[in-house]
Amino acid sequence: MKIGKIIFVCLGLAVMIGVAAAIYRTSMGNEFIFDDRPAIVENESIRAIWPLFGENKSSGPLNPKKRTPLTARPLVNLAFAIDYHFGELNPTGYRVAQTSMHVLAAAILWFIVASTLRRSRFDGKYDQAVAVLGFASAMLWMLHPLNSETVLFLTQRTELMMGLFYFLTLACCIGRWNSDRIVWRFGFTLLAILFCVLGILCKETMATAPLVILVYQWTFVESSLRRLLKSEWLFYCGLACCWIPITLLYTSGFVTPGGGFWNDIPATHWWLTQCAVVLLYLKLTFWPWPLVIHYEVPIWESLRDAWPAVAAVTALIGLNFVALWKRLPIGFVGVCFFIVLSPTLLIPLPGETAAERRMYVPLAAVVPYLLVAVYEVACRISSWLKASPEKSQPRIAPLVVCLVIATSISGTMAAVIAHRIPAYQNQLSIWNDAMLRQPENPAAWTNVGVTLAEQGKLSESLPYLEHAVALKPNYYRWRFNLAHALERLGRQDDSITQYRLSIKQKPGESATHYNLARVLEQTGRIDQAIEQYRQACRIDTTFAGAHTNLAILLAADQQWDEAIEHFESAANTLDDFSNNKNLTLAYWQSGRTDDAIRTSEKLQELAQTSAEQREAKQVSVAIGN
């Protein structure tokens, strides 16, 4: 029997690997897109595996730069460094690793589902179908089209690795609960805590794992919540240790950019809108089409507009808690769904109101439950038809029906993924796809325009950017993109008009003030440019480019004291060769020779290339050092 199980597991794993390879093989040559550029292509911290934390103020794999997609996710940065070590910027290696991790996550989910169905609370009714139901559940989850973004969009390895460690943590907890020997329990306990900590170094959503595991244990393992908390409080304190590293990262300034309660969307508006997003996720769970890289979900500003969705979600939450209190499996599934999604449901993230990848872990609870429910229905019908009159007899017919349904759905979902892969071929194709699926989505139109502009097709980009502004005229970012394209086309006056309108819509955007200042400077309106640079510096005191450009204009007007202040701010923010050279020359030209000599010595230390070394020597000679 054991040999039969081993053979079945090996065959199942082989099928998983083969199916995943067959589906995703056509994506291997797809280009890097969106956040892949700062996360991989332009990421200097992944160029060498060692030293892990970098040296001489340079970033290393476990010390990614701030304000990047991997800022608070160092373990993913290390994974990319390993990929770069073996294949540099060949996307194939990254995609093979991505697909392999997805298959491994599915294999662990197979173990979790099978172990759950074997629990004593089910009184053995699934024992004869455990292996098949576990395998089919894992296959359905692996092939669900909602998970395709996580595999195809390389930067979403953050979600993929977090999900992998999420499953490993729960699998170790199950091993702990199933073990009678103290040594094994202790080993599984340490592994569960370790995987939980590793998961949060991939993505912050892992912070929800201790609560989900607590709900799982209460639902499937321990009937008394009071007894559970009394006996397991120390274990859950250990799991909660995963909150320590993310707290340390955030308090040290390593914050994932974009999210937070200080954004342009008020929290109440975000919460109302997320009720619609929850319903969208549920719809895509059962009918995953059309899929787009960016979902245009209107922001609801009042309960009057949002009340149907709010009422529906409130009812769902209420029913989930009733089911959970009764320790019904559907209660765990529903509560898990909301707990895992809670960070993005509660914390505003402008620009990403909804995203397919956020369903990566919640689907792992929903899909197996739905398949087991199909099996239950098939068993009831079979029993009604007297196909299996004795409970002890194998329920072959229901299992065959369940497998046929699962295979049919799997084949359909595989076809959807295969149809979806070409859209991820490059940045332009994915936005064209989004524009086709959602013609009223201004983000799709503007990003088609921006991508064309980046390719040098400025004239072609303009109609897309203008249409995005027409679709949503009160949003500053679309005007900013239009203004930038007009600037590059040499239409400075039109560009200035659009930049000013963008500032009127959002005065606190430093990049808009900076770009407007540059265009004003190009057209000779120096005083206005200086004021805009000052505004950019006030809004963002760490904006090195704004400090430098402002300082240059002030120095040209012989306002040395203020110019030097801004040169110093630029050098303090970005301590590189260029900023220190500007500061050294400013000290020298303003008569502060001692300061110039001091910074010129530092300049020579910062010089890396032969050209920089020659330049540093010339500066040193010029100031008489």
Side-chain angles (χ1 to χ4, degrees), residues 370-383:
L370 293 175
L371 184 66
V372 173
V374 169
Y375 175 71
E376 282 276 3
V377 171
C379 286
R380 290 175 184 269
I381 294 173
S382 176
S383 182

Side-chain angles (χ1 to χ4, degrees), residues 324-351:
L324 179 66
W325 188 252
K326 293 183 177 181
R327 297 181 64 241
L328 299 176
I330 194 172
F332 166 75
V333 171
V335 171
C336 175
F337 174 90
F338 281 104
I339 290 174
V340 176
L341 289 173
S342 61
T344 53
L345 295 180
L346 297 175
I347 302 173
L349 189 64

Side-chain angles (χ1 to χ4, degrees), residues 343-366:
T344 53
L345 295 180
L346 297 175
I347 302 173
L349 189 64
E352 281 196 316
T353 313
E356 296 166 16
R357 59 185 173 273
R358 294 173 188 161
M359 285 295 292
Y360 194 73
V361 173
L363 274 177
V366 176

Side-chain angles (χ1 to χ4, degrees), residues 269-280 282 297-298 300 302-318 338:
H269 296 176
W270 181 262
W271 298 335
L272 291 174
T273 305
Q274 287 302 300
C275 290
V277 172
V278 166
L279 300 180
L280 172 64
L282 291 174
V297 181
W300 281 334
S302 69
L303 185 58
R304 182 175 54 188
D305 298 324
W307 75 264
V310 172
V313 172
T314 302
L316 277 174
I317 293 173
F338 281 104

Side-chain angles (χ1 to χ4, degrees), residues 290-451:
L291 299 175
V292 292
I293 193 67
H294 177 275
Y295 290 87
E296 180 62 17
V297 181
I299 300 297
W300 281 334
E301 299 181 358
S302 69
L303 185 58
R304 182 175 54 188
D305 298 324
W307 75 264
V310 172
V313 172
T314 302
L316 277 174
I317 293 173
L319 290 172
N320 282 332
F321 275 109
V322 170
L324 179 66
W325 188 252
K326 293 183 177 181
R327 297 181 64 241
L328 299 176
I330 194 172
F332 166 75
V333 171
V335 171
C336 175
F337 174 90
F338 281 104
I339 290 174
V340 176
L341 289 173
S342 61
T344 53
L345 295 180
L346 297 175
I347 302 173
L349 189 64
E352 281 196 316
T353 313
E356 296 166 16
R357 59 185 173 273
R358 294 173 188 161
M359 285 295 292
Y360 194 73
V361 173
L363 274 177
V366 176
V367 169
Y369 178 81
L370 293 175
L371 184 66
V372 173
V374 169
Y375 175 71
E376 282 276 3
V377 171
C379 286
R380 290 175 184 269
I381 294 173
S382 176
S383 182
W384 180 66
L385 295 173
K386 306 299 182 181
S388 299
E390 299 295 334
K391 184 178 178 181
S392 60
Q393 290 183 1
R395 298 180 174 184
I396 302 298
L399 200 56
V400 170
V401 170
C402 196
L403 272 178
V404 169
I405 293 173
T407 303
S408 302
I409 294 174
S410 296
T412 303
M413 293 195 299
V416 172
I417 294 174
H419 182 77
R420 186 90 182 111
I421 287 173
Y424 280 86
Q425 186 173 0
N426 55 53
Q427 194 153 313
L428 184 58
S429 63
I430 192 65
W431 282 121
N432 271 321
D433 177 78
M435 194 171 65
L436 175 67
R437 307 295 174 199
Q438 291 188 329
E440 300 303 311
N441 185 341
W445 285 85
T446 197
N447 280 290
V448 168
V450 168
T451 305

